[in-house]
């Protein structure tokens, strides 16, 4: 079984690439982030023609998550229980579903903007709500994983230059402590192998030639429980999908399971 996660940075802008990638990659379940489309405008039909059902939690413009599956979708839950919300609004950042033998969450963790900003406090509160929400499945016997754009690099090795991020979000002790707390709920970091260079970066800014210079970050993560981690046969970053005109600024992370 092949499972992947990908921040597509607008499914409307990326649809031809998404469809081509699904056809070529043989992915069974794909967790998407930043759909940036209203649910009633989601491209259900072209995905259905490829054999994929879709569960979607999106309201348009910003955010938005989805799970695509060609092995069935059941027990869909939209939203994060206990979501603290931001500026009096609960954003579409989490969706869970059972796809064949595996249960997954597709998550788009708040960015945080800058240290000390209310959005940063919201990010930490959101992480705590996520930890509480997944704790039961994390300890369960069914393969389970939380996949998505976490907007945190777990270690200094997960950014191209730690000094360049000093004082910025995505690398602060509080954000990394939130990742540690999530893992301590019963999840392990499934670290993919890079297809080029030494580090499996998943995100490269559009600016300043970041991608050709490999000035990237590993912020798209797969956190799986023990049954999931035991079933992993391979994991890699499909860096090729970051290349070329019209690419997302994130690359897909792909995990192969023996389930």
């Amino acid at each position: 079984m092949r499972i992947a996660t990908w921040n597509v940075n607008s499914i409307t802008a990326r649809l031809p690439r998404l469809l081509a990638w699904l056809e070529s990659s043989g992915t069974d379940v794909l967790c998407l982030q930043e759909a940036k489309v209203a649910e009633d405008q989601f491209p259900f039909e072209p995905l259905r023609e490829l054999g994929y059902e879709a569960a979607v939690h999106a309201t348009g413009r910003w955010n938005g998550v989805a799970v695509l599956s060609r092995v069935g979708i059941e027990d869909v839950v939209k939203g994060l229980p206990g979501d603290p919300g931001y500026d009096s609004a609960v954003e579409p950042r989490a969706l869970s579903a059972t796809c064949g033998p595996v249960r997954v969450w597709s998550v788009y963790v708040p960015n945080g903007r800058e240290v000390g900003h209310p959005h940063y406090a919201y990010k930490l509160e959101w992480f705590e709500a996520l930890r509480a929400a997944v704790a039961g499945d994390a300890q369960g016997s069914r393969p389970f994983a939380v996949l998505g754009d976490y907007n945190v690099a777990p270690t200094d090795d997960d950014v191209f230059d730690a000094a360049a991020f000093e004082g910025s979000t995505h690398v602060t002790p509080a954000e990394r402590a939130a990742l540690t707390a999530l893992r301590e709920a019963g999840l392990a970091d499934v670290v993919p192998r890079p297809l080029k260079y030494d580090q499996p970066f998943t995100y490269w800014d559009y600016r300043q030639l970041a991608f050709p210079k490999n000035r990237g970050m590993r912020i798209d993560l797969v956190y799986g429980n023990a049954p999931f981690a035991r079933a992993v046969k391979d994991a890699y970053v499909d860096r090729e999908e970051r290349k070329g005109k019209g690419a997302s600024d994130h690359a897909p992370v792909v995990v192969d399971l023996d389930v």
Side-chain angles (χ1 to χ4, degrees):
M1 185 176 188
R2 177 163 285 179
I3 296 179
T5 182
W6 190 8
N7 179 325
V8 291
N9 190 19
S10 172
I11 196 169
T12 302
R14 240 59 67 186
L15 184 59
R17 293 186 68 127
L18 171 63
L19 296 175
W21 187 81
L22 286 170
E23 280 200 284
S24 66
S25 68
T27 299
D28 297 300
V29 178
L30 175 59
C31 295
L32 290 176
Q33 300 86 42
E34 276 203 274
K36 292 184 177 178
V37 67
E39 196 166 326
D40 62 0
Q41 296 176 326
F42 196 85
F44 291 100
E45 189 53 37
L47 291 164
R48 192 175 294 117
E49 289 175 0
L50 288 182
Y52 291 89
E53 299 176 76
V56 182
H57 184 36
T59 55
R61 194 178 179 189
W62 309 118
N63 308 318
V65 290
V67 174
L68 314 181
S69 173
R70 62 180 185 181
V71 294
I73 293 184
E74 299 178 339
D75 303 323
V76 174
V77 177
K78 297 181 179 182
L80 177 64
D83 192 317
Y86 180 71
D87 198 20
S88 303
V90 175
E91 299 172 326
R93 293 182 173 275
L95 182 147
S96 57
T98 300
C99 303
V102 177
R103 185 158 183 83
V104 298
W105 280 72
S106 178
V107 299
Y108 179 43
V109 176
N111 177 280
R113 301 183 186 173
E114 60 185 47
V115 178
H117 192 283
H119 206 263
Y120 180 78
Y122 162 56
K123 180 178 190 174
L124 299 179
E125 292 170 1
W126 200 93
F127 260 123
E128 177 56 28
L130 177 64
R131 185 203 60 76
V134 305
D137 281 323
Q139 296 292 333
S141 59
R142 173 175 55 183
F144 169 76
V146 184
L147 307 93
D149 180 354
Y150 280 68
N151 271 315
V152 183
T155 72
D156 283 352
D157 288 338
D158 294 307
V159 297
F160 70 89
D161 180 3
F165 292 88
E166 188 173 351
S168 300
T169 59
H170 292 58
V171 299
T172 65
E175 290 167 293
R176 288 175 172 173
L179 285 184
T180 299
L182 189 59
R183 292 193 299 270
E184 288 175 348
L187 301 174
D189 186 356
V190 178
V191 180
R193 58 185 174 87
L195 295 187
K196 187 178 181 181
Y197 301 114
D198 296 330
Q199 297 298 328
F201 296 146
T202 65
Y203 164 83
W204 301 260
D205 198 297
Y206 286 129
R207 299 169 295 180
Q208 300 178 331
L209 299 175
F211 181 65
K213 293 180 179 179
N214 200 37
R215 295 167 64 90
M217 308 173 71
R218 185 172 78 95
I219 57 175
D220 301 87
L221 309 176
V222 177
Y223 274 18
N225 70 352
F228 185 97
R230 285 195 298 268
V232 173
K233 298 304 177 186
D234 192 16
Y236 62 92
V237 180
D238 190 351
R239 191 179 185 278
E240 294 297 305
E241 195 51 42
R242 177 59 176 82
K243 294 181 178 179
K245 185 178 180 180
S248 170
D249 44 3
H250 296 250
V253 179
V254 181
V255 180
D256 288 333
L257 301 174
D258 184 7
V259 291

